[in-house]
Amino acid sequence: MTNYDAIDFSPIQALTEGEVITHSPTRDIRLASGKTLALITLDNGRDHTRPNTLGPATLTELGETLDGLKARAAAGEIQAVAITGKQYILAAGADLSDISKVGSRDNARLIAQLGHKVLGKLGDLGVPSFAFVNGLALGGGLEIALNSTYRTVDASAAAIALPEVFLGIIPGWGGAYLLPNLIGIENALEVVIANPLKQNRMLKPQQAFDLGIMDAIFPAANYLENSLAWADAVLGGKKVERKNEPGKIERLTKWPIAIKMARGMLESKIGTVPRSPYVALDLLDKAKSGTKAEGFAREDEALADLVVGDQFAASMYAFDLVQKRAKRPVGAPDKDLARKVTKVGIIGAGLMASQFALLFVRKMQVPVLITDLDQARVDKGVAYIHEEIGKLEAKGRLDADTASKLRGLVRGTVDKSEYADCDFVIEAVFEEVGVKQAVFREIEQHIAPDAILATNTSSLSVEEIGSALTNPERLVGFHFFNPVAVMPLIEIVKTPVTNQQSLSTAFVVAKGLGKNAVLTADAPGFVVNRLLAKVMGEAARAVYEGTPITTVEKAFAPLGLPMGPFQLIDLVGWKVAAHVQDTMVRAFPDRFYANANFHRLAELEAVIEKDKGGRVTGWTKAAQKILETESSPVDEATILRRVQDGLAQEIKIMLDEHVVPEVEDIDLCLILGAGWPFIDGGASPYLDREGASERAFGGSFHTPMIRGVEAR
């Protein structure tokens, strides 16, 4: 058992310089019963755009506040303690900038221990403690609630989560022990591991209540009053039911089975390279027995190990890109230059076009017009959009009035003259320059001279597409990623003649759609597809040499991508992949690889076989018959080195050619558009660490390299 009171925390007090301190003022509230509740309100003095965070100075002050309240409880002055936050926010967790500056494993352990010392006091006040989760509660913010005796939540709270595994660490202030003992192992696995690995999925308040994380949920209008009345009732003897709290049978039988299944699922989905999910899994496993003090001590050591590692350093780099750089796109013109978009036109009514229309109408709530070659295709597209709106309504994500309004905003036509008042027109037609030029030439006759045109091409030259236009300066590349509703990236492509109004409008529209935009030059494949084409090309080369497909898939596992190369190709479509590879080989024949196998396989209905977890297990019989291969297979290490060196070389060339301003933009594109893991920090920190940058061009992308404390 760790004696937290005997620990000297002075080494991390030096980390408080520059900390935005979240203070913990307290006021007494006389409850209806006559009892007195001391209410702490966490508040850093900033507005909602700067959430409360928990740095060393904040924790120290909160600890002193709780010590004072414990003394008052012992004196009989108060009968309960509650903790809540400033408007909309309880706390967004630890101050990550402080944690990333720890400097040593000992200091990392001290941060974990200080959190345990202070938050642990909430369960040792001598009177019941209540967490009134009035808003955002992430990481340490949620652990404040978990360390309290009881919890209520505001039904309008923005998000509730333990996102640490997403960032390469673990819930280190009680979450890994307290949560499974509150809501059971299966639910805890979902919150601690599964959700962070699903692009950092958060819980809504109702979900947190249903899982049993929260004991009560109240509407925003009277949240504090209702929470105080509920706390008074509990103090008066009201029984709090916790149906998901695990019993002896779950601990003996369900617990080990759930852990074993989760381990197998992790290995099949993400491989064994990421450390934090497996460390979290071990902590959740051990939480089934032993004391809280033992659980906290395990978290102290686990957090210390992870904080000083490469994966956390890379995660902090990636986190900074997504939280800061993505919100202020480099090269974006002044938003005041943008044309106001009051109506959107979409050329095409197929699946991709219909997904665009659904996104535009949901996010921007302006009229959306779609067209295609004939009325039957148009009607099919409109029907699809209406059906998807209906599904959202059925799930409760849209109310009936909003759903009806959105359906009314979507129209289909074959009369191009109806596009006359569209401000922004995007095409989603066949990926061929001539086809795209033809549809733009036709639509340009009907729209205003300064209406914006956008192409969703994935790899073609935007300048070449625009060469058929009377006003090519109004054309921008506006490249979505599939699935359109989910993937957060749009590559905005600027040609040598694109004007500032068109570019500004594209960035404003992207933001209006809830997407992150990155500006790229008009280069083949732009950023994401150019680099994925390198990955897929090296996979194709190895297969052509005679390497078994399962060996090739395993070779790519250390990259940490969400799926192997052939699993990815199968998702995007073999015809699309063949087209992208052809485009890249035409542009850079000495650096990219493609062969006839791509086109042969693209003609088949099914190309690869997969297991239940989605892992590639082999070729279909039809694919085996038409594959052309040599008999010089290579091993996993050779394949991995080829792709590492090829990526490092290509990224360096892209920077030299000014495809994007800086390497950070390439990493941001890969994280948001290809699911490149946070624990790698995108591609460049990984390639530096693996020595690929040195091998490819005799240098590194980052000086100093992005490494953990233990590797410096």
Side-chain angles (χ1 to χ4, degrees):
M1 179 175 171
T2 304
N3 181 4
Y4 291 117
D5 290 329
I7 295 172
D8 176 16
F9 289 103
S10 60
I12 60 169
Q13 298 306 322
L15 300 177
T16 61
E17 184 179 352
E19 178 183 341
V20 177
I21 299 174
T22 297
H23 296 290
S24 44
T26 307
R27 62 189 172 106
D28 285 357
I29 295 179
R30 180 61 65 92
L31 301 174
S33 65
K35 296 183 175 71
T36 299
L37 175 147
L39 178 65
I40 303 167
T41 302
L42 299 175
D43 193 345
N44 63 4
R46 309 290 181 88
D47 67 18
H48 67 279
T49 62
R50 181 61 167 87
N52 295 330
T53 51
L54 307 173
T58 295
L59 288 170
T60 301
E61 181 181 318
L62 178 59
E64 292 167 355
T65 299
L66 292 171
D67 286 340
L69 292 174
K70 183 174 182 178
R72 292 188 65 204
E77 295 176 18
I78 55 174
Q79 286 72 53
V81 172
I83 187 165
T84 191
K86 67 180 184 181
Q87 192 172 21
Y88 309 125
I89 292 161
L90 178 61
D95 189 324
L96 294 175
S97 61
D98 282 347
I99 291 181
S100 62
K101 296 183 292 191
V102 293
S104 70
R105 188 184 186 283
D106 287 342
N107 283 355
R109 188 197 293 111
L110 285 176
I111 285 181
Q113 291 171 330
L114 181 59
H116 280 130
K117 175 186 177 180
V118 173
L119 301 193
K121 293 176 187 288
L122 286 161
D124 187 33
L125 293 171
V127 293
S129 57
F130 296 83
F132 296 159
V133 182
N134 65 307
L136 188 76
L138 305 179
L142 179 52
E143 285 169 308
I144 286 174
L146 292 173
N147 276 278
S148 301
T149 320
Y150 303 100
R151 292 154 290 281
T152 73
V153 66
D154 185 323
S156 69
I160 295 157
L162 293 174
E164 288 86 350
V165 164
F166 179 69
L167 298 171
I169 51 176
I170 49 97
W173 289 346
Y177 177 83
L178 296 171
L179 190 67
N181 284 296
L182 178 67
I183 64 173
I185 186 59
E186 290 180 339
N187 291 329
L189 285 166
E190 178 185 341
V191 175
V192 175
I193 299 177
N195 282 353
L197 294 179
K198 292 173 183 171
Q199 302 229 349
N200 203 19
R201 180 180 290 176
M202 309 274 176
L203 295 173
K204 298 290 187 187
Q206 186 65 47
Q207 293 172 306
F209 172 69
D210 292 341
L211 286 171
I213 299 173
M214 303 298 164
D215 296 312
I217 183 169
F218 300 116
N222 299 297
Y223 172 67
L224 182 58
E225 294 88 337
N226 288 341
S227 292
L228 290 168
W230 185 85
D232 200 9
V234 171
L235 294 173
K238 174 184 171 68
K239 188 169 177 57
V240 177
E241 298 285 344
R242 288 177 177 156
K243 61 179 187 231
N244 290 331
E245 200 166 357
K248 287 183 180 179
I249 294 176
E250 175 171 341
R251 294 176 192 280
L252 290 172
T253 58
K254 186 188 289 187
W255 206 293
I257 293 170
I259 293 290
K260 183 178 180 181
M261 290 179 64
R263 191 177 302 278
M265 188 68 72
L266 282 176
E267 289 173 357
S268 70
K269 292 286 187 185
I270 65 169
T272 56
V273 174
R275 292 178 63 197
S276 60
Y278 292 98
V279 174
L281 190 66
D282 289 339
L283 290 172
L284 292 172
D285 183 18
K286 291 171 182 171
K288 69 176 176 290
S289 58
T291 65
K292 180 169 77 171
E294 290 168 343
F296 283 13
R298 286 192 296 267
E299 290 177 3
D300 290 335
E301 298 304 321
L303 190 64
D305 283 341
L306 291 170
V307 162
V308 297
D310 284 341
Q311 292 185 356
F312 179 63
S315 293
M316 286 299 92
Y317 165 77
F319 184 76
D320 196 57
L321 292 181
V322 171
Q323 291 298 310
K324 296 178 182 176
R325 195 176 187 91
K327 291 176 170 55
R328 294 187 290 275
V330 177
D334 188 331
K335 64 183 179 183
D336 291 337
L337 298 174
R339 180 188 175 101
K340 184 174 175 61
V341 175
T342 59
K343 183 178 179 181
V344 172
I346 296 171
I347 307 173
L351 181 59
M352 183 67 83
S354 299
Q355 288 179 1
F356 289 174
L358 182 64
L359 182 66
F360 275 99
V361 78
R362 278 193 68 200
K363 296 294 186 179
M364 298 181 68
Q365 299 203 7
V366 297
V368 174
L369 189 64
I370 67 172
T371 190
D372 213 307
L373 296 173
D374 54 58
Q375 192 64 46
R377 296 183 199 214
V378 169
D379 291 344
K380 184 177 178 182
V382 172
Y384 169 85
I385 298 161
H386 285 185
E387 185 180 330
E388 292 300 305
I389 291 171
K391 289 178 183 176
L392 293 168
E393 183 183 1
K395 291 176 182 176
R397 294 172 64 184
L398 292 176
D399 60 48
D401 288 345
T402 303
S404 179
K405 175 188 173 185
L406 296 186
R407 288 190 193 95
L409 287 171
V410 178
R411 285 197 59 251
T413 183
V414 291
D415 180 1
K416 306 301 189 298
S417 67
E418 291 192 41
Y419 279 72
D421 57 346
C422 287
D423 309 292
F424 187 91
V425 179
I426 183 169
E427 63 77 20
V429 299
F430 188 70
E431 189 74 347
E432 184 182 294
V433 170
V435 175
K436 293 180 187 293
Q437 287 177 331
V439 297
F440 276 140
R441 261 197 309 265
E442 182 181 10
I443 216 76
E444 192 179 27
Q445 298 172 28
H446 301 284
I447 60 175
D450 60 345
I452 312 302
L453 292 174
T455 172
N456 181 52
T457 181
S458 59
S459 58
L460 299 174
S461 167
V462 178
E463 184 179 13
E464 186 179 357
I465 293 169
S467 65
L469 293 172
T470 304
N471 300 109
E473 68 280 357
R474 61 156 104 201
L475 179 66
V476 295
F478 204 72
H479 180 216
F480 284 91
F481 290 81
N482 212 4
V484 170
V486 176
M487 298 302 286
L489 178 68
I490 292 177
E491 290 175 329
I492 293 181
V493 185
K494 177 185 178 183
T495 76
V497 299
T498 303
N499 65 29
Q500 292 293 289
Q501 184 189 42
S502 301
L503 207 57
S504 177
T505 306
F507 275 98
V508 170
V509 168
K511 186 174 183 179
L513 295 174
K515 303 295 185 183
N516 297 120
V518 175
L519 181 65
T520 103
D522 187 19
F526 315 127
V527 175
V528 176
N529 281 347
R530 181 164 173 172
L531 295 173
L532 288 182
K534 174 63 72 173
V535 170
M536 292 187 287
E538 291 305 326
R541 187 197 307 273
V543 164
Y544 182 70
E545 290 169 335
T547 312
I549 188 172
T550 50
T551 301
V552 178
E553 288 280 297
K554 287 177 186 174
F556 285 81
L559 293 180
L561 288 166
M563 55 189 72
F566 291 108
Q567 195 178 354
L568 175 64
I569 292 170
D570 208 53
L571 176 70
V572 302
W574 287 82
K575 287 186 178 179
V576 173
H579 168 77
V580 171
Q581 294 302 131
D582 288 347
T583 301
M584 300 312 300
V585 170
R586 278 197 302 272
F588 311 117
D590 56 327
R591 301 200 309 274
F592 282 79
Y593 179 85
N595 64 37
N597 279 332
F598 268 117
H599 291 280
R600 289 195 191 93
L601 295 171
E603 298 304 316
L604 300 178
E605 284 190 20
V607 180
I608 57 174
E609 294 180 341
K610 293 181 268 191
D611 63 16
K612 290 180 180 178
R615 286 180 301 185
V616 175
T617 56
W619 301 104
T620 61
K621 289 181 180 178
Q624 290 174 31
K625 288 179 182 177
I626 62 173
L627 268 176
E628 282 190 3
T629 60
E630 296 180 338
S631 54
S632 51
V634 290
D635 59 21
E636 292 176 24
T638 300
I639 298 169
L640 179 61
R641 188 173 176 120
R642 280 180 188 170
V643 77
Q644 288 174 341
D645 292 0
L647 285 170
Q649 178 193 34
E650 203 59 34
I651 291 172
K652 180 66 166 62
I653 291 169
M654 290 165 73
L655 294 172
D656 291 343
E657 294 177 349
H658 306 292
V659 174
V660 292
E662 297 176 300
V663 74
E664 286 82 359
D665 298 298
I666 289 176
D667 290 323
L668 184 60
C669 283
L670 290 172
I671 291 164
L672 298 178
W676 208 288
F678 263 49
I679 61 163
D680 276 351
S684 70
Y686 166 78
L687 296 170
D688 282 351
R689 290 196 308 271
E690 293 295 312
S693 309
E694 179 67 33
R695 294 193 299 269
F697 59 88
S700 62
F701 293 112
H702 301 276
T703 305
M705 289 187 193
I706 296 168
R707 301 297 304 267
V709 171
E710 62 186 2
R712 290 175 195 160

